[in-house]
Amino acid sequence: MKHFNRYLVTAALPYANGPVHIGHLAGCYLPADIYVRYLRSKKTDVKFVCGTDEHGVPITIKAMQENVNPQDIVDKYHKIIKESFDAMGISFDIFSRTSNQVHHETAADFFLKMYKDGLFEEKESEQYFDEIKQVFLADRYIIGTCPNCGNDKAYGDQCERCGTSLSPEELINPRSALSDAVPVKKKTKHWYMPLQNYEPWLKEYIIEGHKEWKNNVYGQCKSWLDSGLHSRAMTRDSNWGIKVPLKDAEGKVLYVWFDAPIGYISATKELTDQWADYWCKEDTRLVHFIGKDNIVFHCIIFPAMLKAHGGFVVPDNVPANEFLNIEGEKVSTSRNWAVWVHDYIKDFPDQQDILRYVLCATAPETKDNDFTWKDFQDRNNNELVANLGNFVNRTMVLMHKLCGGKVPVMHAGVKDAADDAIFTMLQEAKTKISDSIENYRFRDALNEVMNVAREGNRYLQEKQPWILAKTPELQAQNQEVIDNCLHVCLQLTANLAIFINPFLPFTAKKICHMLKVVEKMLEWENAGSMKLVSVGYSLRPPELLFKKVEDDQVKAQVEKLHAGLQQSAAAQAAAAPVVAPPVKEAKAEIQYDDFAKLDLRVGTITAAEKVAKADKLLKLTVDLGTETRTVVSGIAMHFKPEDIVGKQVTLVANLAPRKMKGIESQGMILMAEDKDGRLVFVNPDDAVAPGSGVS
RNA sequence: UGCGAGGUAGAGCAGAGGUAGCUCGUCGGGCUCAUAACCCGAAGGUCAGAGGUUCGAAUCCUCUCCUCGCUACCA
């Protein structure tokens, strides 16, 4: 086993076109932070670097859409992202950004060195170009009609309605997503990196050299290497990014995936003059924490770049996590289905450790996982409050009641097997926790810490010092046993602080405060010691480490999630130009009397549920003010029951009742349907009293 | 389509040929120092499905189904 004298830990550079959500934390930043905090507590030489990734096409697009400069976008999100991480206790040594001067120089130099060594191929190709906006268009930014299903909003790479993968050539009536211009082909030159040249080395490095990598990472790498690598363009046509440092390269920038990982190097340079120790010395262990979408870049392309450039260490491990879903559905930033970190911090002030705990305990280490607010509540209330928090609280309260608020003496004479067992248990726990963290099994490690607290509760239950204190006539002989028990519990509490520190640093600090010990006690080498708090020392009054999460908080968060989804859908509907629906064949003219036969009323949906054994039907309860109607409506494919409760709708109130799936439907709800088959409620512009007539 | 990862008690996970295990929830009992918290016990699983190898399969092989990712210009 190779010995490392220093560590460099990186966490994926968040892309500066939006804030960070809890999936980001769980997948990458939190495990990285736990790992680093653990290493620091072992006094390991470690640097933890990160920063925002501020280049690439999506940022320029967003800027165009919002009519601002790309710089404005990245400034805004750099600030939000940095504040989120700070608040959550993600302890980067530096949180930089790829728009910094140092990075521009570093990345340009890196490219130039490879260029001078003749490691790029120059190739000309034809790319689509938007003549109005004067930019080249990535496939994704060409929109047209899908030849397969007729969707007129298909992208140049894929139709999202029928799932067919496409190329821009196949689109009928293609146009630029930016300007509506018809894209034209234009020749352009780019610099390619022949990745296939590094294949033998990559195989040796990964397939032979890193069999210990996680299954998902190793399997994915093997799959790429087995299927053969190709040349890949390392430059793009754009004005936003790092200018290609060559004479004939006007309007060209480095491909964002070329420049972004170099950001790790630039950030280290900004952090310390000794940066080269961390990047160039063979006894440095380089570890990249990322999400599973980034595997190819960190395991194949970046190592190939480092190898090609020469003089750098390559990653020793890339512990990529899978994805975290929210309430059973995939996170989607565009649909606004996410729990944003800056929102959490506002809604749960000073409770960062609950989120850290839940995200670590349910981290998607081996497969995609689900975050639910109910689970968040359960884990907090049943595990943090009832187990860890409760043990510390019991210990502190009993110490104050039975030992005069001071750390009691350990009386050798009445020391028993149970006391010794705690000592042994701590030694074993220390080994297990170290071992798990060092092998990137953070869930296991955290579970083991909680086991220590559980053992503490069990020990206390077995000793029952509160019973011993009830017989004053035996006071003299019982007090020694009580002293020993509380002495052990207090040492155990101090040990818990050390163990939990990498995971829940805010909590560890609180325990130190109560025990009146300095934070230096949290150093890992102290774990397992029974001499952490000194005999006779008077301690502070107990304060609760965690408080319960109430039902209404859970309810509010779930509602917020759904509200965000609807808001975003509404915003998008408003922003998107309304495509005229195909003109329905005009119906025969009617007289006013025909119209007057309709009894249209506004009602409010008070309940909604899926009809069993029917894909399309929802059973709705509609309040018409004077009465309540049950209506069966064929809208289940478009709306979730919980999303439409409270909505006002227009009801045909005098339609003859009709049974569907055994339920009598007493009316019909008016819906508008557009060309894509999307349904929208036809309802009053402003809320009106239920039962209001429509004419 | 191809490739990769995953599918194990209600939930989250562990187990990689030899009596299916852990945490939480549920149920029953005990305790009262503790945030109605703590402790003990119990119930709960045709290990996605089908076939095969083996004395023996959750574990190895084959096929099928489901979820997610990648499939190279979505950063």
Side-chain angles (χ1 to χ4, degrees):
Chain A
M1 187 65 184
K2 198 171 164 185
H3 181 73
F4 297 98
N5 289 316
R6 74 191 72 69
Y7 283 64
L8 181 67
V9 177
T10 75
L13 306 185
Y15 198 59
N17 72 340
V20 285
H21 55 69
I22 62 171
H24 291 123
L25 280 184
C28 165
Y29 305 100
L30 185 59
D33 188 61
I34 292 166
Y35 189 66
V36 168
R37 283 177 184 268
Y38 164 78
L39 290 175
R40 286 196 194 112
S41 82
K42 289 187 78 173
K43 298 186 222 168
T44 310
D45 181 357
V46 55
K47 299 290 180 214
F48 184 20
V49 304
C50 192
T52 37
D53 174 7
E54 306 192 348
H55 299 136
V57 178
I59 282 171
T60 60
I61 304 283
K62 195 174 176 95
M64 254 184 242
Q65 285 167 345
E66 295 184 12
N67 215 12
V68 295
N69 294 320
Q71 192 64 47
D72 298 331
I73 299 281
V74 299
D75 286 349
K76 173 179 164 187
Y77 289 113
H78 174 82
K79 183 164 180 285
I80 295 175
I81 293 169
K82 187 173 192 310
E83 284 169 358
S84 291
F85 286 145
D86 279 348
M88 284 306 299
I90 306 297
S91 59
F92 300 124
D93 290 305
I94 182 166
F95 189 74
S96 184
R97 46 198 307 191
T98 59
S99 57
N100 280 354
Q101 189 58 28
V102 179
H103 177 65
H104 275 253
E105 286 164 14
T106 307
D109 287 351
F110 198 108
F111 181 89
L112 206 54
K113 161 87 163 64
M114 285 180 66
Y115 176 81
K116 285 182 177 158
D117 290 345
L119 299 175
F120 289 120
E121 298 165 344
E122 277 182 36
K123 285 194 216 170
E124 279 210 328
S125 64
E126 291 211 308
Q127 297 273 302
Y128 282 101
F129 187 75
D130 178 332
E131 289 183 311
I132 295 179
K133 292 281 181 181
Q134 287 291 306
V135 289
F136 281 91
L137 296 165
D139 292 354
R140 189 66 197 257
Y141 296 104
I142 299 172
I143 295 179
T145 303
C146 173
N148 186 42
C149 73
N151 172 19
D152 67 342
K153 284 182 206 134
Y155 295 113
D157 55 352
Q158 193 188 30
C159 171
E160 302 222 318
R161 188 157 97 183
C162 67
T164 314
S165 35
L166 301 168
S167 68
E169 283 83 4
E170 296 174 82
L171 289 177
I172 300 161
N173 189 21
R175 56 192 190 279
S176 164
L178 310 179
S179 69
D180 253 9
V182 175
V184 294
K185 282 214 167 173
K186 195 170 163 179
K187 274 206 169 166
T188 178
K189 182 167 76 175
H190 284 293
W191 287 266
Y192 289 71
M193 188 174 168
L195 290 169
Q196 64 277 18
N197 293 357
Y198 305 91
E199 227 177 88
W201 174 78
L202 282 166
K203 281 184 173 162
E204 180 68 27
Y205 160 58
I206 299 171
I207 308 297
E208 298 305 319
H210 284 294
K211 293 185 192 292
E212 83 284 7
W213 285 7
K214 290 173 64 169
N215 282 350
N216 55 342
V217 178
Y218 187 85
Q220 189 77 100
C221 291
K222 192 167 182 309
S223 155
W224 270 303
L225 290 170
D226 287 349
S227 57
L229 303 176
H230 308 279
S231 289
R232 188 167 170 132
M234 291 296 154
T235 55
R236 289 289 185 281
D237 292 290
S238 173
N239 295 316
W240 180 245
I242 294 169
K243 302 225 172 320
V244 172
L246 300 173
K247 283 197 300 283
D248 52 345
E250 195 50 41
K252 316 254 182 215
V253 297
L254 300 184
Y255 175 37
V256 55
W257 268 114
F258 185 88
D259 106 55
I262 296 174
Y264 299 138
I265 304 176
S266 321
T268 318
K269 274 189 183 172
E270 266 183 71
L271 174 65
T272 167
D273 291 339
Q274 264 71 55
W275 71 271
D277 288 357
Y278 295 89
W279 278 99
C280 308
K281 289 195 174 171
E282 280 302 317
D283 57 345
T284 296
R285 176 178 249 167
L286 173 60
V287 181
H288 295 308
F289 283 86
I290 56 168
K292 68 172 160 182
D293 50 335
N294 281 186
I295 292 172
V296 65
F297 298 101
H298 286 82
C299 297
I300 309 276
I301 300 178
F302 189 47
M305 284 164 57
L306 291 168
K307 173 72 178 167
H309 181 284
F312 288 118
V313 294
V314 289
D316 179 67
N317 210 320
V318 184
N321 269 351
E322 303 282 302
F323 286 159
L324 188 71
N325 295 332
I326 308 285
E327 301 282 347
E329 284 191 57
K330 276 203 280 186
V331 169
S332 164
T333 51
S334 56
R335 287 172 59 229
N336 196 21
W337 186 256
V339 177
W340 301 105
V341 175
H342 60 275
D343 280 347
Y344 176 85
I345 292 159
K346 253 187 281 163
D347 294 350
F348 294 88
D350 290 318
Q351 293 165 87
Q352 300 92 326
D353 276 351
I354 308 180
L355 187 60
R356 288 180 65 114
Y357 179 80
V358 174
L359 293 181
C360 180
T362 178
E365 285 181 9
T366 51
K367 64 167 185 190
D368 288 358
N369 235 334
D370 200 27
F371 173 92
T372 65
W373 282 106
K374 180 77 177 93
D375 183 60
F376 172 87
Q377 180 190 34
D378 285 347
R379 286 187 185 274
N380 177 69
N381 294 2
N382 301 327
E383 297 173 33
L384 287 179
V385 173
N387 180 15
L388 177 59
N390 198 228
F391 172 70
V392 174
N393 190 238
R394 293 171 86 186
T395 299
M396 293 301 289
V397 168
L398 284 169
M399 181 271 302
H400 279 283
K401 279 189 182 166
L402 308 179
C403 303
K406 293 183 176 162
V407 181
V409 178
M410 188 73 195
H411 307 274
V414 294
K415 192 172 170 213
D416 65 11
D419 302 326
D420 292 335
I422 292 294
F423 177 75
T424 314
M425 181 273 292
L426 287 173
Q427 310 308 312
E428 287 169 2
K430 183 180 182 180
T431 309
K432 280 188 206 160
I433 296 165
S434 292
D435 197 53
S436 291
I437 295 179
E438 284 170 24
N439 288 293
Y440 312 103
R441 293 194 304 259
F442 303 105
R443 271 190 323 219
D444 285 356
L446 181 57
N447 189 37
E448 191 54 42
V449 178
M450 295 305 278
N451 266 332
V452 173
R454 215 165 280 124
E455 289 296 334
N457 274 316
R458 200 167 293 153
Y459 169 84
L460 204 45
Q461 188 65 23
E462 196 182 303
K463 291 269 171 172
Q464 304 190 89
W466 53 90
I467 302 281
L468 297 177
K470 276 186 181 162
T471 42
E473 64 278 15
L474 298 172
Q475 166 75 24
Q477 72 181 83
N478 281 351
Q479 188 60 42
E480 290 200 346
V481 179
I482 294 173
D483 284 352
N484 282 9
C485 172
L486 270 305
H487 180 95
V488 167
C489 286
L490 285 166
Q491 303 298 356
L492 185 47
T493 301
N495 274 284
L496 272 171
I498 301 172
F499 288 146
I500 205 71
N501 182 43
F503 305 90
L504 312 182
F506 299 94
T507 302
K509 224 172 178 173
K510 275 193 204 164
I511 297 176
C512 286
H513 178 77
M514 266 190 274
L515 295 180
K516 275 200 197 165
V517 292
V518 292
E519 281 178 42
K520 194 168 159 41
M521 187 210 75
L522 297 174
E523 287 171 2
W524 199 258
E525 63 180 9
N526 292 329
S529 164
M530 295 302 273
K531 293 189 169 130
L532 297 175
V533 285
S534 312
V535 170
Y537 215 71
S538 64
L539 306 183
R540 292 204 164 84
E543 51 185 289
L544 299 177
L545 293 178
F546 308 100
K547 59 180 181 189
K548 291 204 151 206
V549 170
E550 303 298 337
D551 290 347
D552 56 353
Q553 289 178 284
V554 170
K555 196 165 161 254
Q557 288 301 324
V558 174
E559 279 168 8
K560 182 175 189 165
L561 209 43
H562 285 98
L565 188 68
Q566 285 192 338
Q567 254 171 35
S568 140
Q572 275 175 22
V578 178
V579 185
V583 185
K584 282 197 176 173
E585 208 174 319
K587 292 180 179 167
E589 188 177 90
I590 60 167
Q591 297 303 312
Y592 176 78
D593 283 347
D594 293 320
F595 168 72
K597 285 178 186 167
L598 291 173
D599 184 3
L600 298 177
R601 294 186 194 212
V602 175
T604 305
I605 299 177
T606 55
E609 60 175 284
K610 286 223 29 156
V611 173
K613 291 180 196 159
D615 289 337
K616 295 184 182 170
L617 299 181
L618 285 187
K619 179 183 164 188
L620 309 175
T621 308
V622 181
D623 177 15
L624 289 180
T626 51
E627 58 175 322
T628 304
R629 296 282 186 94
T630 297
V631 176
V632 178
S633 182
I635 56 174
M637 308 286 258
H638 298 81
F639 300 95
K640 287 193 160 181
E642 62 267 30
D643 289 344
I644 59 171
V645 171
K647 259 195 180 301
Q648 287 213 316
V649 296
T650 309
L651 188 80
V652 182
N654 59 341
L655 191 68
R658 188 176 154 189
K659 268 198 171 184
M660 286 186 257
K661 289 279 166 189
I663 303 165
E664 186 179 75
S665 181
Q666 305 155 330
M668 192 176 116
I669 288 172
L670 297 188
M671 305 293 295
E673 181 178 6
D674 72 11
K675 195 170 154 190
D676 293 329
R678 196 170 59 98
L679 293 181
V680 178
F681 284 105
V682 175
N683 56 10
D685 194 29
D686 228 344
V688 298
S692 301
V694 175
S695 56

